[in-house]
Amino acid sequence: EAVIEAEIQAAVQGGKVPPADADYHRLACKAEGGLEKFRSWVASAQKADITKPVTMPSRPAGAGGITPQAAAQRAQAYQAEMRGKGITVSTSDAVAHVMGG
């Protein structure tokens, strides 16, 4: 286990394994042949910039020029309106309503 831990820590320090994945690799290394597979993978892995924030691309507007976020907000408002009238509307039905379906 000390060897496995040293190998994983070296990979984390070298930027090839994100700290959050260390537990997964500890378990995988304990399997038969796991440490050898891990060493082989680390040798071929590129250093990842795990400190760089990930930005998601903005999603284009869907049918009717409405963004997914706006559709969700309108669907929730529609559900609340219907709930006030004593009518239960499912999320999928509310989305279909605001999207014109």
Side-chain angles (χ1 to χ4, degrees):
E1 289 200 23
V3 172
I4 291 172
E5 187 61 30
E7 298 265 348
I8 292 171
Q9 289 306 313
V12 169
Q13 294 299 319
K16 293 190 175 189
V17 171
D21 292 350
D23 286 340
Y24 164 79
H25 289 293
R26 279 185 197 97
L27 290 173
C29 285
K30 291 178 183 179
E32 186 174 336
L35 182 56
E36 291 77 22
K37 289 177 184 177
F38 177 74
R39 286 175 176 158
S40 175
W41 177 80
V42 168
S44 65
Q46 294 183 6
K47 184 176 178 180
D49 187 357
I50 57 177
T51 60
K52 182 179 176 184
V54 176
T55 56
M56 299 298 291
S58 61
R59 295 183 66 179
I66 185 170
T67 66
Q69 294 84 1
Q73 289 173 342
R74 290 181 188 176
Q76 289 173 341
Y78 177 69
Q79 284 178 303
E81 177 188 344
M82 293 294 105
R83 196 175 313 114
K85 296 177 180 180
I87 302 169
T88 301
V89 177
S90 71
T91 301
S92 58
D93 287 341
V95 170
H97 174 79
V98 301
M99 297 301 288

